[in-house]
Amino acid sequence: MKASTTEAGDAHAPTIAGANPWLIALVVALASFMEVLDTTIANVALPYIAGGMGVSEDEASWVVTTYLVSNAIILTASSFLARMFGRKKFFLICLGVFTLSSVLCGFATNLQELLLFRILQGLGGGGMIPVAQSILADAFPPSKRGQAFAMFGVAVVVAPVVGPTLGGWLSDNLSWQWCFLINGPVGVLAMALISLILREPVKSEMRRRETFDAVGFILVATFLSALEMMLDRGLEDDWFSSPTIVMFGTICALAFALMIPWELTRRNPMIDFRMLASRQFGACFLVMLATGAILLATTQFLPELVQQNFGYTATWAGLVLSPGGLVTMAMMFFVGRVAAPRVQPKYLIMVGAALIALSMYGMTNVYGDLGFWFMARSRMLIGVGLPLIFVPIMAASYDGIPPDKTDKASALINAARNTGGSIGVSIVSNVLTHRRQFHQSRLIEQVTPSSQQYQDTLHQVTEFFITRGSSLGQAQSQAMQWIGQQVQTQASFLSYVDAFWVLMWISLAAIPLALTLRRIKLGGAVRGGH
């Protein structure tokens, strides 16, 4: 089947007469930016939340976990709910729930209230992103989709970078509550604009009579929730030595085993596994998994590195990411307007993956004397690479997808980004923890009192502290403590080196996947079927 540009762009475009599609893209991107921002804005605020609520940082980390879990659950049902309520109404409902729950998070008086409101916030936010992509895919002709997705890409790629910077500044200078309260006025503005500029497309009777795959939804939601809990809590609970992790692992495996045969036999499945099995969309799905892993892992652990090993404040740790965010924003528009309409997606993705891998390779040279701009330049190189992956993968993933399945395709691509991010964070967390222990044990083997090198170092450091006014006994104690701290610091640096090697290989894995993508028509007619 072939659908013309007019058919794809007009028959399904939720616009009003005279409305500029770029205005639609701007408003949709604004709402999406606000939602994605909340996946990372609370990360640097967790110590403040823990202190304000009188709980441990481990308990406070559930503020992040509950949001991700509820976000993943609603993603699976978003395509059906958008068709049932209509895209405009469903988008407004999600935005309203997200905005209200954000404000309630800011006024929460205890951790239980905060977690409840974060769950509601995740449910509202999770439904917005795939619907936003579907609106853009249907509102723009194929020749303009790259540019539209570039604007949307600014939201989903730059927002996780801005999150730690904004969250750190708000927490340091105002209070952690403002990390959530800031969504209130922005959300109200976005709702007003969407109400004015969007019109619901006419729904056919066939689409109105679609049945909800309740069993499929339960299985998919159970699988994603259990997987998210395993990834988030596995390291702290010592993985499968913990009965809790064993329970979540069993639930995850059982739900997955039941989900595949059930979904394959449904006429209107919650997840279209046949779509995932296609060469084009399946490769896009896997590349988006890797992209999500790189985006969220580097966004979380680069600020952690400079805070732990370089003594940066939360604000400065966030600022390390800011130059990369500016580069990403500029590159999004360059790729959308210049590169994507002229170059096949597979080649752009390969170049982007290679640049990110090069950035990660550069970070394997990290050591204690590096300055702010070394870290910032590394992030800027990632900022060049990410748009070269994100914009083409969004355009390529919709190639061959019928207009009535764009909602499902969008939900799956976003689920890949979220799940990939969780997997990436979990992998890097494990690498850092286990390799830090490994390197520390190897370094300690070299720090023996009988070693001449150890005695020389101890003598030199002791003399240093004596010149600072310490007595001989105090200076010797201080010198031994200093040597111990150096061992721990060096072990930490070496563990980050290992983590960056892992991220480099994840980036490189996207290159052979990109090679499997077929050539698409750059502009003109949209390919139907898949």
Side-chain angles (χ1 to χ4, degrees), residues 335-348:
V335 175
R337 295 185 66 87
V338 179
R342 295 175 173 84
V343 184
Q344 286 294 321
K346 64 165 66 177
Y347 302 123
L348 294 176

Side-chain angles (χ1 to χ4, degrees), residues 12-29:
H12 301 279
T15 63
I16 62 173
N20 189 329
W22 290 108
L23 179 60
I24 296 172
L26 179 63
V27 175
V28 167

Side-chain angles (χ1 to χ4, degrees), residues 493-513:
F493 276 123
L494 291 172
S495 69
Y496 275 103
V497 168
D498 293 336
F500 290 126
W501 275 112
V502 170
L503 291 174
M504 185 196 77
W505 286 110
I506 291 175
S507 301
L508 291 176
I511 294 178
L513 287 171

Side-chain angles (χ1 to χ4, degrees), residues 3 80 107 146 287 300 303 391 478 480 489 505:
F80 174 84
F107 288 105
V287 172
Q300 177 161 330
V391 176
Q478 289 171 325
M480 286 187 285
T489 300
W505 286 110

